[in-house]
């Protein structure tokens, strides 16, 4: 039980430090940061050469060695970390020295430090994750819009405070989802722009006395611009808080939609039917059809939110400077934010592409007349000039009477009964009996009619929703173009970097 | 000990419900929502009139009554809540009926519901808070820039990982703060734009069959535009998550700066001296001068962060629809986010306006030569063409030797010693002894020189920082103009609304 | 728009510091800490006297003055805070000096400091809140048990993963709630014991050179024991984290129960009906009956959870020592934890005392035979010796067939159909046709039978649940006794303190 | 860019569901739950046999197959998950059928379900983690006590609000740490007891109609007792919230100690020196010695806290029942809580075993006389009968004068100066000049004297601390015994289970 460690002092690294810090950090870095680290090295060599700080010949050899190192990346994964090099940065430096000689590779360390390189790595991984996530949001929006397009006329009971409130359409609900996803994508876009700024050249925190070209360095690596203040480059972490904050807002909102879907999947509600691919059966109860994909969506979204708050917790009450807290140890939490939210987006898209809304059941729930009573009140206002509050009072009493004594005379339709009640109650409320014939009552209380006349901007009437749908599609297309441009930009800088790396200009 | 409640059923409201829900909600609403509620009523009356739904005469009477009600708002505060009205909405409705008769006031309830009105109220309060906070951020930026302007040449030791790293200037550090505050203000601006959209006309969640004018309604109340989908209007809460998320990011960052200030205020460091106005003495230790304002800043920022997470917790795993959770009960948490962050911004601004940086102490800390050793390595690269890694190795050994045997021969200056060590160590490392005369070593290791040559974009050299300062001032001025425009817009719609309210067109 | 503060240095307190720190802190302290502060002063005087450090006469005068001060506490509330005294501690000191002369009152400040006094105050307020909360938990448990007692035989469909799973009873579900509430109460009890330890005598953090009696001091103030290490007394905050952690766990769990109640309150489910006292109607939809008390319970519990996390956020990454963060500014967050959780407990108790479970509806949901199919599989194991997995396979196929082709031959009962299917399917699965006659199938699938035979420890069979109920009642009674003892202890020390305060022994 | 998924319906599992849910869940389960799952199967076979539900021969064959399966566990790790079995539960069931025939293995599925088995698995993993963590806490306490034992006389300046306050000893500070760790261990112990209760036999949520023996089942698996209510068994999650809550409290507190260590490691303070094994150098600044182990401790503790809040977030606002959220997906977050906190405990223990407190530097910081001025005030009270407030006023003025005009007459000692100031100032304050000769002033202000006379319970005087140390050691020994007993209990049930598994009684 007692691992009795004699209190001897070890040279660096202490075995406990190796196990609890260096090893997990190295493994994490090897998994995510190797490729961008090679890229930074390539760009640094090229920039130093163009600024006349590194000889062409040296630059050429270094870049060839880096390209080769990148091809051998599998080696990295297979070897266990044993602490020979402190971290990935020094591992690459050592490999490079092995390939082209320390006399040459040693020239690459000028005018930079682990500080600016590390932050650049984190930003490069993060910008990719933001773009990938944006792409998944785009796919989800596309699935939602396509579903909405199929349900423009599907009557559906809006629920407020757990109770059916008014009829609307499935498409109207889905466009509400699509609208907030547009805003989520805008937030991710802004986060991308904040992230895609280059800290390189900040070195430790004060730049360098060498005349390097920060702008060139940034452009070689696909950054949009240089982040100015060198101290801020290594100290500020709002880029990661903004990105994870955008994810948190999206996950909380999608989680809310999932809550609705979960209720709709209960047999009591029955509005939503998941296809077999997403339904697990019970190990013991033969009759069950568990729509667990939805439960997984809820908890995966919760975990994404939890990891966002973990990122905040790690940065809270730390100094404003180059600190460990904002670096290696934080990265797994950031990775988790994106891997969990990706699982949510991907799974929800797949579910929505095949889920079936039980349109008929939804319509029947709106048929009772209860959810359309507002329209009766509105009609009293429109046709009879009653103040709304009075009209509301009359219909409230009708609703109460219907609930208290639901039975009808033989052969009496519900609309006849309402017509009679209206006459009686309006008389007692206003002193003036109002009469609306049963057929008209039927039309007023028809949920299709209810939806059809709600045609102002943002309303559920099918033509209105169709117009909204077009706006949503236009916005989706614009975001798709933005995204395509960004993804192309990412591919291009990489291609150019490696092309030039393997065939530097000086060679020809 | 036992309050034995007989389990009788009460009519609405049950006394426990009144105490635990209605009363705290009413008190909160009376404090924050009364004025915007009157404004919404005024705008609704005007819009209904212009759309031909409300008669001019009725509209005129209603708006006069509303104006009078607004003047009497003190009444509201003084009366204890006893549950006669369910909430503020019905309280105002009742007062209005008292002033101009239910026959007239009852017409105002058409084509709206508590749902869209409530969300509009929350957005109106929030947009004011965002603007006020933006204004405080502006003041803080102004204080930071003014302080930076006074410390362009104040040498100051950059600390990384708790250890002095390199010299920079106080102004360089402060501009890093100012840069992230610019990004904070941009986030607040975006949050304002997301918030300042009108949900009015969404009614319950499906708009209305009346031909109302949502655009007019929005513009009467100073909203920038109409939020489209009616369901989304009442269900989506990303506007509040984006706003509180922006605050959370800012508070975490300012908290990090405060952590630095706290360390600088220890007698051991002594870099920062708070004026007497912010220093508390001890009840028992006569010698103490506690810079507790800084500790309060830390905890107030933490509490602001905590309240941001409370807002997220309240919305997490709720349905996507009109729910209580996103409404009245959430508001106190949102108010707390802004009141705590305002206290932080205001107090930090006041502290920075009068705090004294101990410039001389800071300079002395950079004098030892240790923090400028990088420059010696850089010089070996620049002048002697060594690979940086080799130069670093040489200076590392010099640093180790200085630390191990700090004593010097009598009369020997530190620079002479370094010159000698350099010759010896460079010989053993490269096989080729390098010599830099003591005077040159002194110049190389001079912190002022160190800072002066770091003049690339984003560096600490005073002329470079001066240029950065101008950029920051220009950006501040732009944000000031944006803010002034927004504040003016807020005042104008109010003035117009009340002017027209008391003197409706129809009267003349 | 610009409040242009000239950067002049103020003597303490700077007006901004007064507004943003001293004033809110004083108001909070005046509201919650005044009475315990008087008590600490009384106990300190008595202890000093008994230890021979304070003269009897001085002690007597001081204690009379304190008692009078306590009676005049209304004065405190009415006056606005203007910064004359730094805080409540000095306010009381000054008032005391006014009443009995600084020459005498000045003797009271020996052998203590604001540090130990403040922590003692926080612990005193917290222990009261823990006891009050425990009392509310007790009331809730009592309400739950009483409800369970009325529903021993109420059949009810257990839902797993949103789908009906098996029949149980309402009482069985409610006892699960009661069991975790027992554990919540145990956690609160432990938190009370950690909290009710006296830090007094720790002074600044090192005790004092005077021979004071810490044990006497603790016992005079109703503390159970002295907290030993003086540094720990003023630095450790696990007492507050344990207490708020206990609340957080309880709130999350009660929130989960509330989620169930919310689903049960949908018209689709209809299992739960809230009485009118807890139901709000709509401002616009006359038919609605919103069980908003449940929604308020959800969000109030969420807010309680949020405030618990705020307390943690405020302490996170602060130094371990006497710091502002753990003190005045933290208190409002702690108060919020308890006020929100109290609202939850009180409201939920009231709701459960009058809520009506729709027993008949619940029973019908279990009638379909689907949820009892496990029992058919069990019977095949018990009576026919099939391996369970084989029996499960057979019943699964029966379930599938029933779902696929639900229609029955004319006059055929469902049980006849199942009997036929069983014969057919068991033949094809095992090669050996099993026959169970329809009447027996009916009995096997009867939900009442299902529940009745589940009589092992912890099962839902009414006699088993009755035994569990007795255990729960016994545990409740024990906790009631513990609580009564603790509340009495609190009253007694106060009574004695004030009695002796107004008629000190030396007087007679 | 566009993965265009045709919206076809897949049989279970949909490929997206397989990738986003089943696969990560299976891999996590294979890593942590395989061994306990075999154990539960073994115990279930034995219990069913003893209750006469499973034939001896069948039981014997099943248990032999399980034992063999356990030995082959490496197979599990190497195979990629391809979705043939839904989860680990069915994987084991299938393997078992392969080894001893489905006819026999199928009998094992009676009287249980995945629900109770899964919760039992989670509790079994968690109880091990709690014991391992407790063991690490024990080691840390041991290291702290051993360090304290070496620093009983090491004078050290207590800091409050960033300023030196009073002298104490290093041992006194460390015992404060040890005291809260005792409470942390007590919380973990309580969490263990809540966790180590058996849900087995709860089956789906209603137990079973078979007469199984839940008590036997519990004892075979090393559980302390049976968790009663079957619904609660599968729905309640307070066990995991209590365990992670205990960790959160501990991590926040250790994080506070780490904050102190970080400040003590700055060159300005210099109180703490980390050995080389924990210090990283800079890639670019040759002079740096970064005590980054401490920074890693801070962030690792923060991440542990973050994961605790993630667990809470995942359970927040979910239904109270068998839900996915509390199950597989939650487990990685729970694992992270324990792996991060273990890293913190292990690394901090290693650091404390070798860290060096710079005793001499600490003593010098207390030498100035400033931090002992309280004692001068106390002396005026003790010897001259002044009220403390008056004595405090006199010494405050002395302190101010010393700070304002620190210069002394030639040859004048600081104590002579204080003696003179005392005479002058006491005269002006009280009208009666008090004189304390310089030698006595020196003794009064001596930090060693200051500490020595603070000998009451909990004070820093070395003999007092020695007594406290003994208490702490006694408590540590008691906790060690508890832990040893628990660990033995865990080993014993496993040994017995596998012994009987491979050589069941019936065989001989």
């Amino acid at each position: 039980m007692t691992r009795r460690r004699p209190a001897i002092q070890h040279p660096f690294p202490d075995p406990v430090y190796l196990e609890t810090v260096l090893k997990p950090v190295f493994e994490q870095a090897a998994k995510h940061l190797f490729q961008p680290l090679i890229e930074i090295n390539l760009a640094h060599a090229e920039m130093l050469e163009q600024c006349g700080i590194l000889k062409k010949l040296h630059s050429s050899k270094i870049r060839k060695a880096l390209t080769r190192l990148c091809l051998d990346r599998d080696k990295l994964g297979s070897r266990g970390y044993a602490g020979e090099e402190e971290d990935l940065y020094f591992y690459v430096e050592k490999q490079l020295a092995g390939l082209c000689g320390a006399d040459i590779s040693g020239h690459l360390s000028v005018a930079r430090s682990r500080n600016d390189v590390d932050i650049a790595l984190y930003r490069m991984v993060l910008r990719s994750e933001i773009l990938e996530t944006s792409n998944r949001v785009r796919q989800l929006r596309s699935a939602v819009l396509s579903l909405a397009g199929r349900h423009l006329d599907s009557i559906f009971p809006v629920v407020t405070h757990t109770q059916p409130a008014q009829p609307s359409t499935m498409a109207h609900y889905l466009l509400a989802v699509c609208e907030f996803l547009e805003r989520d994508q805008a937030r991710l876009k802004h986060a991308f722009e904040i992230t895609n700024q280059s800290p390189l050249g900040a070195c430790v925190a004060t730049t360098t006395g060498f005349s390097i070209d920060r702008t060139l360095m940034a452009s070689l690596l696909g950054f949009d611009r240089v982040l100015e203040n060198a101290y801020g480059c290594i100290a500020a972490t709002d880029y990661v808080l903004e990105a994870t904050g955008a994810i948190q807002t999206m996950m909380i909102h999608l989680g809310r939609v999932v809550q609705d879907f979960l209720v709709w999947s209960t047999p009591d509600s029955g509005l939503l039917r998941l296809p077999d691919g997403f339904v697990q059966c019970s190990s013991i109860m033969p009759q069950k059809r568990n729509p667990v994909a939805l439960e997984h969506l809820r908890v995966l979204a919760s975990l994404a939110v939890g990891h966002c708050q973990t990122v905040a917790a790690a940065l809270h009450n730390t100094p404003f400077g180059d600190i460990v807290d904002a670096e290696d140890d934080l990265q797994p939490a950031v990775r988790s934010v994106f891997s969990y939210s990706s699982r949510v987006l991907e799974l929800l898209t797949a579910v929505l592409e095949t889920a079936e809304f039980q349109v008929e059941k939804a319509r029947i729930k709106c048929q009772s007349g209860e959810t359309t009573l507002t329209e009766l009140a509105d009609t009293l206002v429109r046709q009879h000039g009653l103040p709304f509050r009075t009209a509301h009072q009359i219909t409230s009493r009708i609703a109460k009477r219907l609930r208290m004594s639901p039975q009808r005379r033989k052969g009496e339709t519900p609309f006849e009964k309402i017509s009679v009640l209206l006459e009686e109650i309006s008389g007692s409320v206003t002193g003036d009996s109002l009469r609306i014939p049963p057929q008209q009552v039927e039309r007023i209380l028809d949920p299709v009619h209810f939806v059809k006349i709600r045609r102002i901007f943002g309303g559920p009437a099918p033509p209105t929703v169709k117009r909204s749908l077009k706006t949503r599609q236009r916005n989706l297309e614009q975001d798709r173009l933005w995204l395509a441009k960004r993804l192309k930009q990412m591919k291009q800088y990489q291609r150019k970097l490696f092309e030039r790396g393997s065939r530097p200009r000086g060679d020809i």
Side-chain angles (χ1 to χ4, degrees), chain A:
Chain A
M1 158 189 177
T2 312
R3 176 204 51 115
R4 196 52 228 158
R5 215 179 93 91
I8 37 158
Q9 294 202 359
H10 294 271
F12 186 82
D14 184 281
V16 175
Y17 190 71
L18 192 150
E19 275 306 313
T20 58
V21 174
L22 294 180
K23 196 175 170 177
V25 163
F26 189 91
E27 287 167 359
Q28 186 73 14
K31 200 166 156 193
H32 296 289
L33 309 179
F34 181 73
Q35 159 102 10
L37 179 52
I38 296 292
E39 291 172 18
I40 288 174
N41 275 316
L42 281 169
H44 194 59
E46 182 165 347
M47 183 275 285
L48 288 179
E49 181 193 336
Q50 291 202 26
C51 293
I53 300 167
L54 186 64
K55 290 182 192 148
K56 279 195 178 173
L57 184 65
H58 289 177
S59 172
S60 167
K61 291 199 171 166
I62 285 170
R63 285 148 78 189
K64 275 188 187 157
L66 285 165
T67 307
R68 190 161 140 217
L69 203 53
C70 196
L71 296 172
D72 288 353
R73 72 171 300 173
D74 290 345
K75 270 200 219 162
L76 181 63
S78 61
R79 68 196 282 275
Y81 176 73
E84 303 91 359
E85 303 86 16
E86 198 179 299
D87 62 10
L88 188 69
Y89 185 88
F90 283 129
Y91 167 82
V92 166
E93 190 167 309
K94 195 174 157 186
Q95 295 292 315
L96 195 60
L99 286 171
C100 62
D103 271 11
I104 289 174
S105 73
H107 285 290
L108 195 63
S109 302
V110 81
R112 68 171 181 179
S113 110
R114 264 191 300 194
N115 290 15
D116 58 344
V117 170
D118 279 354
I119 298 288
L121 289 173
Y122 306 144
R123 287 178 176 260
M124 287 166 81
V125 178
L126 185 57
R127 71 182 176 185
S128 295
E129 289 176 328
I130 296 173
L131 290 183
E132 277 164 34
T133 303
S134 294
N135 200 24
R136 289 191 201 285
V137 175
R138 187 190 59 74
Q139 288 167 343
L140 176 56
R141 281 164 67 185
S142 174
V144 171
L145 288 185
S146 149
L147 195 56
R150 298 200 296 279
H151 289 291
L152 288 172
D153 298 299
S154 307
I155 296 293
F156 150 86
V158 166
V159 164
T160 65
H161 310 296
T162 76
Q163 307 299 303
Q166 291 183 340
S168 181
T169 69
M170 216 42 252
H172 191 238
Y173 177 95
L174 289 167
L175 286 194
V177 173
C178 200
E179 272 192 22
F180 77 68
L181 285 170
E182 280 183 14
R183 293 191 296 269
D184 285 320
Q185 201 136 22
R187 280 183 282 267
L188 285 171
K189 210 157 139 180
H190 194 261
F192 178 85
E193 278 152 14
I194 291 293
T195 300
N196 199 30
Q197 307 191 356
S198 171
L200 289 161
C203 303
V204 169
T206 62
T207 71
T208 175
F210 290 91
S211 296
I212 58 170
D213 184 342
R214 296 186 66 192
T215 307
L216 173 61
M217 190 70 189
S219 91
L220 288 173
L221 290 163
F223 286 106
D224 293 334
R225 48 183 289 251
V226 174
L227 191 59
E228 184 165 355
N229 184 284
Y231 192 90
C233 284
I234 59 98
T237 48
D238 56 305
Y239 73 100
V240 73
L241 288 169
E242 180 167 342
T244 55
I247 298 286
Q248 172 166 321
T249 298
M250 179 166 58
M251 286 297 114
I252 287 178
H253 267 75
L254 288 179
R256 296 180 65 194
V257 174
V258 167
Q259 285 288 100
D260 284 353
F261 288 176
L262 278 161
V263 171
W264 297 350
S265 297
T266 60
D268 279 335
S269 161
L271 290 188
L272 184 64
R273 193 181 180 281
L274 247 50
D276 288 346
F278 300 100
V279 172
Q280 282 183 251
C281 68
S282 163
S283 70
I284 194 165
M285 292 164 291
Q287 85 284 0
K288 289 201 73 185
R289 243 188 132 266
N290 294 326
V292 282
L294 294 173
E295 283 189 325
H296 281 289
L297 281 167
R298 178 173 60 198
V299 64
L300 294 174
S302 295
L303 293 169
V305 168
H307 288 293
C308 292
Q309 299 193 344
T310 298
V311 170
L315 295 171
H316 179 225
N317 279 350
T318 59
F320 180 61
D322 170 45
I323 50 164
V324 156
D325 313 61
E327 300 171 16
D328 308 313
D329 291 325
L330 187 64
Q331 296 304 307
V334 182
R335 296 296 81 74
S336 294
V337 166
F338 285 91
S339 66
Y340 276 107
S341 53
S342 283
R343 286 163 72 184
V344 168
L345 290 166
E346 204 177 344
L347 182 53
L348 184 55
T349 303
V351 164
L352 285 181
E353 278 170 350
T354 53
E356 288 163 20
F357 288 106
Q358 307 292 301
V359 176
E360 192 50 26
K361 274 198 188 172
R363 203 186 49 78
I364 288 166
K365 281 179 205 286
C366 298
Q367 214 68 311
S368 73
E370 284 240 320
T371 59
T372 46
L373 274 176
T374 333
E375 196 46 39
L376 181 58
D378 280 359
T379 307
L380 296 178
V381 171
R382 236 183 264 116
Q383 299 188 350
H384 299 271
L386 292 193
F388 180 82
R389 204 36 91 206
T390 312
H392 182 264
Q393 200 183 337
I394 292 166
T395 42
S396 289
R397 288 216 205 159
I398 295 173
K400 205 165 189 179
R401 282 278 284 280
L402 288 170
R403 216 180 298 124
M404 294 297 176
S405 44
Q407 67 286 1
R408 294 197 293 277
R409 270 174 304 120
K410 208 184 159 164
E412 186 188 42
T413 69
F415 311 111
E416 284 167 352
K417 178 159 184 175
I418 290 171
S419 183
V420 170
L421 282 171
L422 171 63
E423 199 165 353
E424 175 199 330
I425 292 171
S426 62
S428 93
V429 168
T430 66
D432 193 12
S433 286
L434 302 172
R435 204 181 123 60
I436 300 184
Q439 300 94 309
Q440 202 192 329
V441 169
E442 183 169 6
R443 207 176 51 81
I444 290 168
L445 297 184
D446 175 16
V448 174
H449 168 77
F450 185 96
V451 163
K452 196 176 151 199
I453 61 165
R454 275 158 172 72
R455 60 180 167 257
I456 63 167
F457 187 65
T464 304
V465 170
K466 220 168 178 175
R467 274 193 301 277
S468 300
L469 192 60
K470 279 207 183 113
T471 310
R472 301 282 79 75
Q473 277 158 338
R474 210 162 39 235
N475 291 353
L476 179 60
E477 179 56 16
Q478 275 172 16
D479 285 344
R480 197 188 63 74
L481 291 174
W482 178 85
L483 198 52
K485 201 186 101 195
R486 287 312 200 165
L487 289 169
K488 195 174 155 199
Q489 169 187 0
M490 291 299 116
K491 271 191 196 137
Q492 272 180 338
Y493 91 82
Q494 288 184 318
R495 194 170 37 74
K496 283 188 195 165
L497 210 50
F498 280 96
E499 266 177 25
R500 281 191 306 257
S502 51
R503 190 176 31 80
R505 287 156 307 155
D507 274 21
I508 316 175

